[in-house]
Amino acid sequence: MTGTGGPDDLDLAISGGGLVGASLALALVPLGLRIAIIEAMPPGSTDHPSFDERTTALANGSVRIFQSLGVWRHMEREATPIRRIHVSDQGRFGVARIDAAEQGLEALGYVVPNRVMGAALWEGLRAASGIRLMAPARVIDTATVPGARTLRVERAGGEVIELRAKLVVAADGTRSALREQAGIAAEHWEYSQTAIISTMTTQRFHDHVAYERFTPEGPIAVLPLSDGRCGIVWTRRPEEAARLLALPDDAFLAELQTAFGFRLGRLLCIGARHSYDLALSRSERHVAERLAIVGNAAQGLHPIAGQGFNLGLRDAASLAEVLADALADGAADVGADAPLQAYAAWRAEDRGRIVAFTDGLVRLFGTPLGALRGLRSLGLLAFDSFPAAKSAMARLSVGAAGRIPRLARGVPLNGNR
Ligand SMILES: Cc1cc2nc3c(=O)[nH]c(=O)nc-3n(C[C@H](O)[C@H](O)[C@H](O)COP(=O)(O)OP(=O)(O)OC[C@H]3O[C@@H](n4cnc5c(N)ncnc54)[C@H](O)[C@@H]3O)c2cc1C
């Protein structure tokens, strides 16, 4: 353990125990720090905003991070490999296919239900030593004091306690209150699009293919699931989404069938439907005095390319790495400015590339502009016959571009740099 102090003096406190905050806490375990993780929702809650009914397409780099954290074995049984990605544009000839085997990969990524990831991560946290779990509890304020940052935390029942930590991490999602309390601005761009998510049974087996289908009304992603069903993410304008959400199952399936086509035969059965309003949000900075921002608190993306969590998990892996390196180099203070600046520089580059890619896709495929549609199908055709573009896309699916965190390469935090 590093540092000294009273019972509520910590090395590091994380606000938000969702997918990214919980992953970060687990990644930090080998560093022997005194850590607290504060999560607003009780574990296992059916209203959990992070561990909900969604399924997440994990890049191979993210799977490697989960393997390094020792939690993948608890997710693996319900993880479905993606062997091929099929991209099409309704009413156009262009089709792009990316094949894992062609790229020399076992899989292009894996689909895992968010609830499965949440349960595995929190099980890992409960089993870890040195982590104080506070849930349900809510961070309500922060301030800097000499050598530390304080957090006021409201526990269930209304009791408010104060924590002091050398470093505080905001992992509290897109509308991060901690980021705001620390005075860091964020830009927020509403796409005026709503994603409907659900699961469906289909006449034909998915055969481990993930589909991305662009239609003039919005994209549909269909992801293979472990029990033979498929997860869907169907993006529509908000008023259209409201109409679709209110339809009886058979009418909803009929509209989905028209938009998606018959690649999987007839669509037979649809599960519960949930909706998410889509936006692009970006914090002005990744760090402030004794504060780092990770995951959706740093950036919230459109799910069109399935990059949001993968990027957030790389935030967590990179922050853990710069802190591990600083400690290995003899630093006594995990909240010192130098590792935070290293983290900020690293993340700015990765985020810039992923936001440009994702937002570019939304703008290219999210609009029914005649001229653009021509370009799009040309683009898809060219893409399918241009191996370099496919390799680049496959690398992105793998989460391998730019500087890759050690954990994403399967190297332990305290392993070779
Ligand atoms: C429809 C949809 C599909 C998606 N599909 C994919 C995909 O396939 N691949 C992919 O990579 N990404 C995907 N994403 C993105 C991904 O879900 C997010 O990037 C991810 O959930 C971010 O995790 P997070 O932990 O940063 O934030 P969140 O999931 O928002 O978690 C934040 C946590 O902080 C807690 N919290 C909030 N305020 C406080 C407070 N004051 N005190 C304490 N705790 C607090 C919340 O209870 C919550 O648990 C998708 C997103 C959507 C909307």
Side-chain angles (χ1 to χ4, degrees):
M1 298 238 175
T2 67
T4 54
D8 285 341
D9 274 11
L10 301 155
D11 293 308
L12 197 142
I14 303 169
S15 175
L19 288 172
V20 175
S23 303
L24 173 65
L26 270 182
L28 293 169
V29 169
L31 304 189
L33 301 169
R34 289 166 307 171
I35 299 170
I37 182 161
I38 305 125
E39 166 55 44
M41 297 305 286
S45 162
T46 47
D47 296 328
H48 206 292
S50 200
F51 312 148
D52 60 11
E53 298 312 316
R54 282 173 293 175
T55 51
T56 293
L58 292 178
N60 286 330
S62 298
V63 172
R64 225 164 283 126
I65 292 175
F66 280 154
Q67 284 166 340
S68 307
L69 304 188
V71 289
W72 179 246
R73 61 200 150 97
H74 300 302
M75 304 178 185
E76 206 170 2
R77 216 156 35 99
E78 294 192 55
T80 314
I82 301 175
R83 308 257 187 240
R84 267 175 298 144
I85 299 178
H86 180 287
V87 187
S88 62
D89 200 355
Q90 192 182 40
R92 300 275 138 174
F93 293 119
V95 167
R97 296 180 201 84
I98 308 169
D99 195 292
E102 239 174 52
Q103 303 298 327
L105 296 166
E106 177 76 15
L108 292 160
Y110 290 78
V111 184
V112 186
N114 283 23
R115 276 200 197 289
V116 172
M117 288 194 282
L121 288 168
W122 272 73
E123 206 38 60
L125 288 176
R126 277 186 215 102
S129 58
I131 302 184
R132 181 169 165 193
L133 303 179
M134 300 174 72
R138 180 173 282 278
V139 171
I140 51 175
D141 207 359
T142 184
T144 50
V145 292
R149 186 175 270 277
T150 59
L151 287 182
R152 288 206 313 135
V153 176
E154 187 180 339
R155 312 182 80 151
E159 182 202 2
V160 175
I161 61 163
E162 190 173 279
L163 302 177
R164 286 163 63 97
K166 289 178 183 158
L167 178 62
V168 162
V169 180
D172 50 350
T174 305
R175 298 279 179 189
S176 169
L178 182 53
R179 179 189 67 206
E180 222 166 81
Q181 288 151 6
I184 300 180
E187 53 174 3
H188 194 84
W189 168 260
E190 296 286 342
Y191 283 118
S192 284
Q193 293 179 13
T194 300
I196 300 172
I197 66 119
S198 189
T199 53
M200 64 179 178
T201 348
T202 55
Q203 187 183 13
R204 252 185 249 144
F205 179 52
H206 53 58
D207 207 19
H208 301 279
V209 180
Y211 295 90
E212 182 87 51
R213 177 142 178 88
F214 297 102
T215 80
E217 289 78 33
I220 306 169
V222 173
L223 298 171
L225 299 182
S226 61
D227 55 6
R229 287 179 307 155
C230 294
I232 64 157
V233 184
W234 191 4
T235 306
R236 301 292 295 253
R237 295 192 60 77
E239 59 280 8
E240 265 298 290
R243 184 185 67 76
L244 289 167
L245 286 163
L247 286 179
D249 287 359
D250 52 352
F252 180 86
L253 273 175
E255 293 214 23
L256 183 58
Q257 183 91 67
T258 307
F260 180 68
F262 282 83
R263 285 169 187 79
L264 290 168
R266 276 189 305 114
L267 310 182
L268 301 176
C269 195
I270 191 84
R273 290 164 245 164
H274 304 271
S275 65
Y276 299 81
D277 292 333
L278 303 181
L280 167 65
S281 61
R282 242 181 317 198
S283 66
E284 194 181 57
R285 287 173 285 143
H286 277 93
V287 296
E289 190 181 346
R290 297 194 173 273
L291 179 96
I293 309 181
V294 296
N296 270 29
Q299 65 273 317
L301 309 182
H302 194 295
I304 196 166
Q307 295 292 325
F309 174 62
N310 290 303
L311 179 60
L313 190 59
R314 291 202 294 279
D315 288 347
S318 322
L319 181 59
E321 184 168 323
V322 297
L323 297 180
D325 290 352
L327 292 172
D329 290 342
D333 182 357
V334 287
D337 202 40
L340 289 184
Q341 292 308 330
Y343 167 73
W346 188 350
R347 300 327 297 153
E349 196 215 325
D350 196 3
R351 175 169 91 173
R353 195 179 51 242
I354 298 294
V355 167
F357 171 70
T358 300
D359 191 51
L361 267 186
V362 178
R363 287 172 201 286
L364 184 59
F365 286 102
T367 44
L369 299 179
L372 269 186
R373 275 177 68 76
L375 261 183
R376 271 151 46 172
S377 71
L378 260 181
L380 285 178
L381 281 171
F383 180 88
D384 203 39
S385 50
F386 186 36
K390 284 167 71 169
S391 300
M393 178 72 193
R395 271 202 305 281
L396 196 61
S397 312
V398 173
R403 180 179 164 194
I404 303 167
R406 287 205 287 278
L407 290 173
R409 287 185 271 127
V411 178
L413 269 192
N414 40 16
N416 285 342
R417 295 195 202 173

